[in-house]
């Protein structure tokens, strides 16, 4: 490029486009792409040619991340599976609701739904004329009865927080099919290295990639996965809502995926060891983890989840009231008091005062949650160190 100093500075030589495939994922940190001709530009916007124009629409690094998740979720699905990337789990969930609902429409969702999704349905989408019924997801007959002529979506969660209730995915998918509506699930607590809901008849899977997929508590992201037809509809809503993932965050999430099966295997096996040890402690009245043979959904989790990977959250309820739960958290020396889940560190939350703080004791009891319940997101530490820390904290109660 010739010309003046400022022209040369703004139009440097283009970066080489290597023929070889890079092993690491290139980060396409650009908002826009340039075209050889004005016609190419117009053709791309009209959908008459493939390519990239603007990163809110599509960005190769973000596409690579989403397709890596699709490859894991769709591993054993005979039909094509694709995915859409988002800036957070909530951005993915919002786009899925906005795609599959309309004013005057109705959603059936589980009673133990994640608080952010509950808030979206009851204090945002309700203002746009979408109503929701929260039903007992363990009772297919009750769910079927909650579906109305105007219901446009059945929503589920593969593993519910904090009771670790396991969704009967094939049973719920049959209910949705019978009603002629799509069935979407939030599979954040499982991840595709534990359970792949598309294999069980689910139409759309969403994740907060902030959790296990990223895996290191250093990035927020989300993803929606399903057939190309459904994902094309979700993509249009994503572009118009604008909650798009940044290429730098897509890089971190893509890197996280490489170790997801390794991490999930360890997270889950350690969680079962922790759950088994805590169930024997005299101060413990209840432990919720579906890997325990006594958990209500143990047979279901063995049927639907990969062997030995039954989730990495353990909810422990000590004797006593809310103060006992707070005291248990405060007595921990290794396990951190922090929000979120799925990172390398083990973390605890006192359920009644954090994730479920909107619920009074009666509502907590109806949801099967004791006032002292503490949710443990089991990290990658040594199981014996975690058990020793939890046991010394319980001994102090
Ligand atoms: C089950 C579940 N779904 C969705 C979300 C929302 O994800 P994000 O915080 O990435 O928006 C969370 C966050 O805690 C979650 O636990």
């Amino acid at each position: 490029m010739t010309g003046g100093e400022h022209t040369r500075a703004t139009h440097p030589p283009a970066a080489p486009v290597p023929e070889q495939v890079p092993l690491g994922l290139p980060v396409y940190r650009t908002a826009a792409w340039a075209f050889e001709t004005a016609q190419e530009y117009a053709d791309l916007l009209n959908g008459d040619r493939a390519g990239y124009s603007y990163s809110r629409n599509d960005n190769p690094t973000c596409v690579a991340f989403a397709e890596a998740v699709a490859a894991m979720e769709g591993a054993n699905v005979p039909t094509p599976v694709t995915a859409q990337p988002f800036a957070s789990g909530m951005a993915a969930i919002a786009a899925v609701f906005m795609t599959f609902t309309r004013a005057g429409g109705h959603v059936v969702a589980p009673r133990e739904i994640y608080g952010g999704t509950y808030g979206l349905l009851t204090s945002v989408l309700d203002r746009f004329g979408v109503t929701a019924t929260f039903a007992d997801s363990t009772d297919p007959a009750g769910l079927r009865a909650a579906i109305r002529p105007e219901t446009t979506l059945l929503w589920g969660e593969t593993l519910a927080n904090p009771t670790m209730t396991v969704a009967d995915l094939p049973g719920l998918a049959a209910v949705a099919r019978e009603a002629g509506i799509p069935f979407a699930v939030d599979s954040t607590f499982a991840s595709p290295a534990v359970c792949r809901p598309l294999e069980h008849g689910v139409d759309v899977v969403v994740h907060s990639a902030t959790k296990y997929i990223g895996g290191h508590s250093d990035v927020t992201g989300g993803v929606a996965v399903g057939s190309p037809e459904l994902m094309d509809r979700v993509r249009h809503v994503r572009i118009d809502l604008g909650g798009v993932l940044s290429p730098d965050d897509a890089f971190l999430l893509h890197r996280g995926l490489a170790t997801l099966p390794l991490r999930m295997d360890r997270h889950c096996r350690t969680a079962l060891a922790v759950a088994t040890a805590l169930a024997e402690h005299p101060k413990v009245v209840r432990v919720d983890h579906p890997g325990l043979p006594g958990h209500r959904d143990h047979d279901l989790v063995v049927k639907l989840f990969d062997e030995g990977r039954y989730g990495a959250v353990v909810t422990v309820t000590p004797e006593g009231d809310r103060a006992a739960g707070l005291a248990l958290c405060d007595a921990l020396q290794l396990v951190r008091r922090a929000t979120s889940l799925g990172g390398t560190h083990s973390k605890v939350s006192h359920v009644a005062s954090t994730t479920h703080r909107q619920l009074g004791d009666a509502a907590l009891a109806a949801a099967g949650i004791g006032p002292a319940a503490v949710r443990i997101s089991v990290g990658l530490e040594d199981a014996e160190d975690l058990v020793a820390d939890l046991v010394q904290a319980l001994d102090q109660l």
Side-chain angles (χ1 to χ4, degrees):
M1 172 64 67
T2 54
E5 178 190 26
H6 297 287
T7 303
R8 281 182 285 117
T10 48
H11 295 264
V17 179
E19 265 178 40
Q20 297 77 19
V21 178
L23 273 188
L25 179 66
V27 178
Y28 284 91
R29 221 177 199 291
T30 183
W33 276 263
F35 297 89
E36 283 298 322
T37 68
Q39 189 59 48
E40 277 181 25
Y41 180 12
D43 288 348
L44 194 136
L45 291 187
N46 283 329
D48 296 333
R49 71 183 291 142
Y52 297 91
S53 62
Y54 187 49
S55 273
R56 177 158 56 78
N57 298 7
D58 298 292
N59 174 287
T61 313
C62 301
V63 168
F65 156 64
E67 290 309 319
V69 178
M72 297 204 66
E73 286 289 358
N76 302 311
V77 179
T79 50
V81 171
T82 184
Q84 287 293 312
F86 290 90
S88 69
M90 281 313 301
I93 291 168
V96 168
F97 279 128
M98 300 286 269
T99 303
F100 298 108
T101 58
R102 53 175 162 71
H106 172 253
V107 174
V108 175
R111 259 206 310 243
E112 57 278 274
I113 190 169
Y114 166 63
T117 314
Y118 180 81
L120 176 69
L121 281 166
T122 56
S123 63
V124 180
L125 289 174
D126 67 321
R127 290 189 281 112
F128 296 87
V130 177
T131 52
T133 300
F134 299 97
D136 180 354
S137 61
T138 63
D139 168 23
L143 271 187
R144 197 174 283 117
I147 294 177
R148 308 176 190 161
E150 66 272 25
T151 306
T152 60
L153 180 68
L154 178 63
W155 183 258
E157 291 184 355
T158 306
L159 264 179
N161 175 30
T163 52
M164 298 296 275
T165 301
V166 182
D168 175 5
L169 298 174
L172 297 175
V175 170
R177 233 183 353 261
E178 209 177 288
I181 56 174
F183 177 31
V185 299
D186 179 339
S187 208
T188 300
F189 268 56
S191 94
V194 163
C195 175
R196 292 158 301 284
L198 299 177
E199 293 173 6
H200 303 291
V202 171
D203 298 300
V204 175
V205 176
V206 300
H207 290 281
S208 164
T210 314
K211 310 297 188 306
Y212 293 109
I213 290 176
H216 295 75
S217 309
D218 54 7
V219 58
T220 66
V223 63
V225 193
S227 69
E229 296 72 34
L230 296 182
M231 286 305 107
D232 195 46
R233 291 172 60 191
V234 171
R235 175 176 172 269
H236 284 284
V237 174
R238 171 178 64 71
I239 291 171
D240 289 342
L241 287 179
V244 295
L245 183 64
S246 84
D248 294 287
D249 289 345
F251 171 85
L252 287 175
L253 294 169
H254 186 273
R255 185 165 70 174
L257 267 179
T259 54
L260 181 71
L262 269 178
R263 287 186 283 107
M264 287 318 294
D265 196 67
R266 184 173 170 89
H267 277 302
C268 293
R269 290 181 197 280
T270 307
L272 182 54
V274 167
T276 305
L278 295 186
E280 282 164 15
H281 195 282
K283 297 248 175 77
V284 168
V285 294
R286 174 170 170 174
V287 178
D288 290 296
H289 182 74
L292 291 177
H295 189 277
R296 190 192 53 189
D297 296 328
H298 182 67
D299 291 345
L300 196 55
V301 88
V302 169
K303 195 168 100 192
L304 299 181
F305 286 22
D306 291 344
E307 195 280 318
R309 299 182 184 172
Y310 303 136
V313 168
V314 176
T315 300
V316 58
T317 307
E319 282 171 356
D321 52 12
R322 287 171 181 244
L326 289 166
L328 172 59
C329 293
D330 286 345
L332 291 164
Q333 292 170 0
L334 170 66
V335 179
R336 314 293 283 268
R337 291 157 288 278
T339 188
S340 198
L341 67 144
T344 53
H345 304 88
S346 291
K347 297 188 275 267
V348 284
S349 304
H350 171 235
V351 177
S353 61
T354 59
T355 54
H356 291 63
R357 65 189 179 284
Q358 296 87 350
L359 308 189
D361 281 358
L364 281 174
I369 304 165
V374 170
R375 184 187 84 184
I376 310 164
S377 165
V378 175
L380 295 179
E381 302 91 339
D382 292 293
E384 46 279 27
D385 294 334
L386 293 174
V387 169
D389 192 29
L390 287 155
V391 165
Q392 69 77 26
L394 283 163
D395 287 345
Q396 291 184 49
L397 295 183

mmCIF file of all heavy atoms in Angstrom, residues 180-207:
data_model
loop_
_atom_site.group_PDB
_atom_site.id
_atom_site.type_symbol
_atom_site.label_atom_id
_atom_site.label_comp_id
_atom_site.label_asym_id
_atom_site.label_seq_id
_atom_site.Cartn_x
_atom_site.Cartn_y
_atom_site.Cartn_z
ATOM 1 N N GLY A 180 -47.179 -32.264 20.115
ATOM 2 C CA GLY A 180 -46.734 -31.571 18.893
ATOM 3 C C GLY A 180 -45.957 -30.298 19.169
ATOM 4 O O GLY A 180 -45.983 -29.353 18.384
ATOM 5 N N ILE A 181 -45.240 -30.259 20.318
ATOM 6 C CA ILE A 181 -44.458 -29.064 20.655
ATOM 7 C C ILE A 181 -42.986 -29.449 20.870
ATOM 8 O O ILE A 181 -42.701 -30.599 21.213
ATOM 9 C CB ILE A 181 -45.000 -28.353 21.937
ATOM 10 C CG1 ILE A 181 -45.047 -29.340 23.128
ATOM 11 C CG2 ILE A 181 -46.375 -27.743 21.677
ATOM 12 C CD1 ILE A 181 -45.421 -28.673 24.443
ATOM 13 N N PRO A 182 -42.050 -28.502 20.669
ATOM 14 C CA PRO A 182 -40.651 -28.834 20.935
ATOM 15 C C PRO A 182 -40.369 -28.990 22.430
ATOM 16 O O PRO A 182 -41.038 -28.384 23.261
ATOM 17 C CB PRO A 182 -39.876 -27.641 20.348
ATOM 18 C CG PRO A 182 -40.867 -26.573 20.083
ATOM 19 C CD PRO A 182 -42.249 -27.153 20.139
ATOM 20 N N PHE A 183 -39.357 -29.808 22.715
ATOM 21 C CA PHE A 183 -38.915 -30.055 24.096
ATOM 22 C C PHE A 183 -37.470 -29.568 24.186
ATOM 23 O O PHE A 183 -36.592 -30.080 23.483
ATOM 24 C CB PHE A 183 -39.018 -31.552 24.389
ATOM 25 C CG PHE A 183 -38.532 -31.976 25.754
ATOM 26 C CD1 PHE A 183 -38.633 -31.135 26.859
ATOM 27 C CD2 PHE A 183 -37.978 -33.250 25.938
ATOM 28 C CE1 PHE A 183 -38.191 -31.536 28.112
ATOM 29 C CE2 PHE A 183 -37.532 -33.666 27.185
ATOM 30 C CZ PHE A 183 -37.641 -32.810 28.267
ATOM 31 N N ALA A 184 -37.237 -28.558 25.020
ATOM 32 C CA ALA A 184 -35.889 -28.010 25.199
ATOM 33 C C ALA A 184 -35.449 -28.248 26.629
ATOM 34 O O ALA A 184 -36.258 -28.135 27.553
ATOM 35 C CB ALA A 184 -35.878 -26.518 24.891
ATOM 36 N N VAL A 185 -34.164 -28.572 26.831
ATOM 37 C CA VAL A 185 -33.660 -28.750 28.196
ATOM 38 C C VAL A 185 -32.397 -27.943 28.439
ATOM 39 O O VAL A 185 -31.571 -27.755 27.544
ATOM 40 C CB VAL A 185 -33.365 -30.227 28.576
ATOM 41 C CG1 VAL A 185 -34.600 -31.093 28.497
ATOM 42 C CG2 VAL A 185 -32.243 -30.809 27.779
ATOM 43 N N ASP A 186 -32.288 -27.481 29.682
ATOM 44 C CA ASP A 186 -31.067 -26.857 30.181
ATOM 45 C C ASP A 186 -30.234 -28.005 30.759
ATOM 46 O O ASP A 186 -30.642 -28.642 31.740
ATOM 47 C CB ASP A 186 -31.448 -25.834 31.258
ATOM 48 C CG ASP A 186 -30.243 -25.134 31.873
ATOM 49 O OD1 ASP A 186 -29.126 -25.673 31.792
ATOM 50 O OD2 ASP A 186 -30.437 -24.051 32.469
ATOM 51 N N SER A 187 -29.094 -28.285 30.124
ATOM 52 C CA SER A 187 -28.286 -29.438 30.547
ATOM 53 C C SER A 187 -26.989 -28.994 31.221
ATOM 54 O O SER A 187 -26.021 -29.753 31.286
ATOM 55 C CB SER A 187 -28.000 -30.323 29.325
ATOM 56 O OG SER A 187 -27.828 -31.654 29.698
ATOM 57 N N THR A 188 -26.994 -27.756 31.752
ATOM 58 C CA THR A 188 -25.799 -27.173 32.364
ATOM 59 C C THR A 188 -25.184 -28.070 33.435
ATOM 60 O O THR A 188 -23.963 -28.248 33.479
ATOM 61 C CB THR A 188 -26.169 -25.816 33.004
ATOM 62 O OG1 THR A 188 -26.664 -24.960 31.986
ATOM 63 C CG2 THR A 188 -24.988 -25.174 33.700
ATOM 64 N N PHE A 189 -26.041 -28.635 34.332
ATOM 65 C CA PHE A 189 -25.519 -29.417 35.453
ATOM 66 C C PHE A 189 -24.937 -30.760 35.006
ATOM 67 O O PHE A 189 -24.251 -31.420 35.778
ATOM 68 C CB PHE A 189 -26.626 -29.660 36.494
ATOM 69 C CG PHE A 189 -26.690 -28.615 37.576
ATOM 70 C CD1 PHE A 189 -26.836 -27.271 37.252
ATOM 71 C CD2 PHE A 189 -26.610 -28.958 38.918
ATOM 72 C CE1 PHE A 189 -26.897 -26.301 38.234
ATOM 73 C CE2 PHE A 189 -26.662 -27.998 39.916
ATOM 74 C CZ PHE A 189 -26.813 -26.663 39.579
ATOM 75 N N ALA A 190 -25.249 -31.178 33.761
ATOM 76 C CA ALA A 190 -24.738 -32.473 33.295
ATOM 77 C C ALA A 190 -23.511 -32.275 32.408
ATOM 78 O O ALA A 190 -22.452 -32.834 32.668
ATOM 79 C CB ALA A 190 -25.830 -33.216 32.541
ATOM 80 N N SER A 191 -23.652 -31.478 31.323
ATOM 81 C CA SER A 191 -22.639 -31.317 30.280
ATOM 82 C C SER A 191 -22.693 -32.523 29.337
ATOM 83 O O SER A 191 -23.125 -33.622 29.744
ATOM 84 C CB SER A 191 -21.207 -31.151 30.826
ATOM 85 O OG SER A 191 -20.547 -32.397 30.865
ATOM 86 N N PRO A 192 -22.229 -32.330 28.087
ATOM 87 C CA PRO A 192 -22.302 -33.447 27.134
ATOM 88 C C PRO A 192 -21.348 -34.597 27.455
ATOM 89 O O PRO A 192 -21.429 -35.654 26.826
ATOM 90 C CB PRO A 192 -21.945 -32.792 25.787
ATOM 91 C CG PRO A 192 -21.272 -31.514 26.120
ATOM 92 C CD PRO A 192 -21.813 -31.075 27.448
ATOM 93 N N ALA A 193 -20.462 -34.410 28.438
ATOM 94 C CA ALA A 193 -19.592 -35.521 28.835
ATOM 95 C C ALA A 193 -20.264 -36.408 29.886
ATOM 96 O O ALA A 193 -19.628 -37.328 30.424
ATOM 97 C CB ALA A 193 -18.263 -34.993 29.361
ATOM 98 N N VAL A 194 -21.522 -36.119 30.205
ATOM 99 C CA VAL A 194 -22.252 -36.887 31.211
ATOM 100 C C VAL A 194 -23.542 -37.458 30.614
ATOM 101 O O VAL A 194 -23.873 -38.628 30.800
ATOM 102 C CB VAL A 194 -22.567 -35.977 32.428
ATOM 103 C CG1 VAL A 194 -23.646 -36.569 33.312
ATOM 104 C CG2 VAL A 194 -21.293 -35.736 33.245
ATOM 105 N N CYS A 195 -24.254 -36.609 29.878
ATOM 106 C CA CYS A 195 -25.531 -37.021 29.285
ATOM 107 C C CYS A 195 -25.764 -36.186 28.038
ATOM 108 O O CYS A 195 -25.473 -34.985 28.032
ATOM 109 C CB CYS A 195 -26.655 -36.786 30.298
ATOM 110 S SG CYS A 195 -28.294 -37.132 29.638
ATOM 111 N N ARG A 196 -26.270 -36.823 26.978
ATOM 112 C CA ARG A 196 -26.529 -36.116 25.719
ATOM 113 C C ARG A 196 -28.020 -36.213 25.423
ATOM 114 O O ARG A 196 -28.484 -37.180 24.804
ATOM 115 C CB ARG A 196 -25.654 -36.696 24.606
ATOM 116 C CG ARG A 196 -24.150 -36.379 24.837
ATOM 117 C CD ARG A 196 -23.246 -37.301 24.120
ATOM 118 N NE ARG A 196 -23.442 -38.676 24.508
ATOM 119 C CZ ARG A 196 -23.000 -39.221 25.664
ATOM 120 N NH1 ARG A 196 -22.301 -38.503 26.532
ATOM 121 N NH2 ARG A 196 -23.271 -40.482 25.951
ATOM 122 N N PRO A 197 -28.782 -35.200 25.854
ATOM 123 C CA PRO A 197 -30.255 -35.292 25.785
ATOM 124 C C PRO A 197 -30.807 -35.498 24.376
ATOM 125 O O PRO A 197 -31.874 -36.100 24.223
ATOM 126 C CB PRO A 197 -30.708 -33.941 26.364
ATOM 127 C CG PRO A 197 -29.594 -33.533 27.277
ATOM 128 C CD PRO A 197 -28.347 -33.991 26.589
ATOM 129 N N LEU A 198 -30.086 -35.052 23.326
ATOM 130 C CA LEU A 198 -30.615 -35.245 21.966
ATOM 131 C C LEU A 198 -30.753 -36.739 21.663
ATOM 132 O O LEU A 198 -31.593 -37.146 20.868
ATOM 133 C CB LEU A 198 -29.698 -34.587 20.922
ATOM 134 C CG LEU A 198 -29.509 -33.070 21.034
ATOM 135 C CD1 LEU A 198 -28.529 -32.579 19.973
ATOM 136 C CD2 LEU A 198 -30.826 -32.315 20.919
ATOM 137 N N GLU A 199 -29.927 -37.571 22.321
ATOM 138 C CA GLU A 199 -30.018 -39.028 22.114
ATOM 139 C C GLU A 199 -31.302 -39.594 22.719
ATOM 140 O O GLU A 199 -31.674 -40.726 22.451
ATOM 141 C CB GLU A 199 -28.825 -39.741 22.780
ATOM 142 C CG GLU A 199 -27.499 -39.441 22.130
ATOM 143 C CD GLU A 199 -26.314 -40.016 22.913
ATOM 144 O OE1 GLU A 199 -26.514 -40.754 23.907
ATOM 145 O OE2 GLU A 199 -25.165 -39.699 22.531
ATOM 146 N N HIS A 200 -31.951 -38.810 23.572
ATOM 147 C CA HIS A 200 -33.140 -39.301 24.281
ATOM 148 C C HIS A 200 -34.411 -38.590 23.821
ATOM 149 O O HIS A 200 -35.393 -38.545 24.554
ATOM 150 C CB HIS A 200 -32.945 -39.137 25.794
ATOM 151 C CG HIS A 200 -31.720 -39.849 26.300
ATOM 152 N ND1 HIS A 200 -31.631 -41.225 26.337
ATOM 153 C CD2 HIS A 200 -30.513 -39.381 26.717
ATOM 154 C CE1 HIS A 200 -30.433 -41.573 26.782
ATOM 155 N NE2 HIS A 200 -29.739 -40.468 27.022
ATOM 156 N N GLY A 201 -34.363 -37.978 22.643
ATOM 157 C CA GLY A 201 -35.588 -37.411 22.067
ATOM 158 C C GLY A 201 -35.792 -35.927 22.316
ATOM 159 O O GLY A 201 -36.826 -35.371 21.937
ATOM 160 N N VAL A 202 -34.824 -35.271 22.973
ATOM 161 C CA VAL A 202 -34.939 -33.824 23.225
ATOM 162 C C VAL A 202 -34.647 -33.077 21.920
ATOM 163 O O VAL A 202 -33.816 -33.510 21.116
ATOM 164 C CB VAL A 202 -33.942 -33.420 24.345
ATOM 165 C CG1 VAL A 202 -33.853 -31.914 24.494
ATOM 166 C CG2 VAL A 202 -34.365 -34.069 25.659
ATOM 167 N N ASP A 203 -35.338 -31.946 21.687
ATOM 168 C CA ASP A 203 -35.151 -31.198 20.437
ATOM 169 C C ASP A 203 -34.040 -30.147 20.540
ATOM 170 O O ASP A 203 -33.322 -29.912 19.569
ATOM 171 C CB ASP A 203 -36.465 -30.493 20.063
ATOM 172 C CG ASP A 203 -37.571 -31.506 19.821
ATOM 173 O OD1 ASP A 203 -37.411 -32.343 18.923
ATOM 174 O OD2 ASP A 203 -38.582 -31.487 20.561
ATOM 175 N N VAL A 204 -33.959 -29.470 21.689
ATOM 176 C CA VAL A 204 -32.964 -28.397 21.835
ATOM 177 C C VAL A 204 -32.301 -28.525 23.207
ATOM 178 O O VAL A 204 -32.995 -28.701 24.219
ATOM 179 C CB VAL A 204 -33.620 -26.998 21.719
ATOM 180 C CG1 VAL A 204 -32.600 -25.889 21.994
ATOM 181 C CG2 VAL A 204 -34.238 -26.805 20.333
ATOM 182 N N VAL A 205 -30.977 -28.454 23.228
ATOM 183 C CA VAL A 205 -30.225 -28.494 24.493
ATOM 184 C C VAL A 205 -29.550 -27.133 24.669
ATOM 185 O O VAL A 205 -28.963 -26.614 23.716
ATOM 186 C CB VAL A 205 -29.135 -29.587 24.449
ATOM 187 C CG1 VAL A 205 -28.286 -29.579 25.717
ATOM 188 C CG2 VAL A 205 -29.765 -30.944 24.256
ATOM 189 N N VAL A 206 -29.639 -26.554 25.864
ATOM 190 C CA VAL A 206 -28.874 -25.332 26.133
ATOM 191 C C VAL A 206 -27.942 -25.575 27.317
ATOM 192 O O VAL A 206 -28.216 -26.421 28.182
ATOM 193 C CB VAL A 206 -29.757 -24.089 26.420
ATOM 194 C CG1 VAL A 206 -30.662 -23.765 25.251
ATOM 195 C CG2 VAL A 206 -30.550 -24.248 27.675
ATOM 196 N N HIS A 207 -26.841 -24.815 27.306
ATOM 197 C CA HIS A 207 -25.881 -24.884 28.413
ATOM 198 C C HIS A 207 -25.484 -23.479 28.831
ATOM 199 O O HIS A 207 -25.293 -22.620 27.962
ATOM 200 C CB HIS A 207 -24.566 -25.553 27.976
ATOM 201 C CG HIS A 207 -24.693 -27.007 27.724
ATOM 202 N ND1 HIS A 207 -24.717 -27.923 28.741
ATOM 203 C CD2 HIS A 207 -24.794 -27.705 26.576
ATOM 204 C CE1 HIS A 207 -24.833 -29.138 28.223
ATOM 205 N NE2 HIS A 207 -24.880 -29.029 26.920
#
